Amino acid sequence: SLIRRRLRATELRFEMHATSVKGKTDIAIAFLKGAANKEHLDFVRKRLDDLKTDGLTMTDKSLEEFLFKQGFHPMPFVRYTERADICAAHLLEGHIAIIVDTSPSVILVPVTLVHHLQHAEEYRQAPLIGTFIRGVRFIGTFFSLVMLPFWYLLSTKSEFVPEAIKYIGPNEWGEVPLFVQLILADVGIEILRMAAIHTPTPLSTAMGLVAAIVIGQVAIDVGLFSSEVVLYVAVSAILTFAIPSFELSITTKVFRDFLLVSVALVGAPGFFLAFAFIYYYLCSLKPMNVPYLWPFTPFF
């Protein structure tokens, strides 16, 4: 009903499907007739008709696994939203919304990497400001992926560092190897994030400040971490939090650790080979036959 209030077009369609053997979960496919791709609609309908399971107790997340059979692919193939205006905007662009009964969020397909980097904030600004905000987010996402591995590369291979930026690299290496420091700090921030989620709201802010300031400073004082490691890991974490899609932010962390391990094993060639592998992997993805890096690759 919230979508219908925003789109009163006669072309708006809702198709009901009853899935799961015991749960009898209702699923609705929402699309705009004439805008949605028929092949995409047939794909979703066929997957829903072939779905045989006892119940969709985890609602739309369970349905995503059945729709795309994602396996070990780390990239998110769907976009989730809890806002009716975002859903209506995607329907006008030819996307398909999949609504699962009892779920507060809606699945949007097909999507690309660019859709995961969109946010409603950009559309509430003037065109120049919105474009600037999106550009900053794209730059931040790129640096969240490469900054930490590239800094580690320059720190361990000082012969590659130009004289003008010789200050890059830790002044004090500490007792723990630099690679281990980076992995421990990166994993530690992820654990801190999970702990904050499960901490009661009045305590979560205080716990985050204590962990970030006190524990970080003590780790530097005892020689476990160098100050530069804490700085660059914290900046990388902040850049990751700027990604609107939670699923994409977690994937970025996985790829970042993959780059770190490649640099630790092979050095400079490992960084560029791993980055090329990630780029090739993203270019090869075509969920629902839509290039994942469109409109950059292919460029149209």
Side-chain angles (χ1 to χ4, degrees), residues 99-299:
I99 307 168
V100 184
D101 190 22
T102 73
S103 173
S105 57
V106 170
I107 296 176
L108 298 173
V109 293
V111 293
T112 65
L113 181 65
V114 175
H115 291 109
H116 288 287
L117 294 176
Q118 289 179 345
H119 194 270
E121 171 192 8
E122 302 150 11
Y123 295 91
R124 305 182 73 88
Q125 305 291 340
L128 178 63
I129 304 302
T131 304
F132 171 76
I133 293 173
R134 180 173 295 185
V136 169
R137 182 177 293 116
F138 272 67
I139 294 171
T141 302
F142 176 77
F143 277 102
S144 71
L145 174 65
V146 303
M147 187 180 69
L148 200 60
F150 194 68
W151 176 81
Y152 174 62
L153 172 62
L154 296 181
S155 299
T156 53
K157 305 292 183 181
S158 57
E159 63 270 19
F160 297 144
V161 182
E163 195 65 33
I165 53 173
K166 277 292 185 183
Y167 55 85
I168 290 182
N171 298 322
E172 298 178 2
W173 287 82
E175 300 297 329
V176 181
L178 189 59
F179 172 73
V180 178
Q181 291 184 41
L182 292 171
I183 293 297
L184 287 177
D186 206 22
V187 173
I189 287 183
E190 185 63 22
I191 294 175
L192 175 62
R193 182 194 63 81
M194 291 188 289
I197 292 175
H198 302 297
T199 304
T201 304
L203 300 177
S204 61
T205 303
M207 188 202 70
L209 291 173
V210 168
I213 298 174
V214 177
I215 298 178
Q217 187 59 47
V218 169
I220 295 172
D221 292 340
V222 301
L224 182 62
F225 293 150
S226 66
S227 55
E228 287 87 349
V229 167
V230 175
L231 170 66
Y232 283 99
V233 169
V235 172
S236 295
I238 292 172
L239 292 172
T240 305
F241 294 150
I243 301 175
S245 168
F246 172 73
E247 293 81 10
L248 182 61
S249 66
I250 296 297
T251 303
T252 303
K253 294 177 184 178
V254 172
F255 284 151
R256 185 169 64 218
D257 290 339
F258 172 64
L259 286 171
L260 270 174
V261 173
S262 301
V263 173
L265 293 177
V266 191
F271 175 83
F272 294 103
L273 286 173
F275 187 81
F277 173 79
I278 293 173
Y279 179 72
Y280 174 79
Y281 166 71
L282 294 178
C283 289
S284 66
L285 287 180
K286 290 186 177 181
M288 297 181 69
N289 206 29
V290 176
Y292 202 73
L293 285 185
W294 178 85
F296 301 115
T297 305
F299 184 71

Side-chain angles (χ1 to χ4, degrees), residues 15 17 27 29 31 36-51 63-70 77-78 96 98 107-111 286-290:
E15 287 186 3
H17 293 260
I27 297 175
I29 303 175
F31 62 94
N37 187 299
K38 187 177 183 302
E39 293 181 3
H40 297 161
L41 286 170
D42 292 340
F43 172 86
V44 175
R45 290 165 179 158
K46 185 177 186 306
R47 287 295 172 89
L48 290 178
D49 292 339
D50 293 343
L51 179 57
L63 182 62
E64 177 194 353
E65 299 292 335
F66 287 114
L67 284 176
F68 288 95
K69 298 179 173 56
Q70 194 166 1
F77 290 164
V78 304
I96 303 168
I98 304 174
I107 296 176
L108 298 173
V109 293
V111 293
K286 290 186 177 181
M288 297 181 69
N289 206 29
V290 176

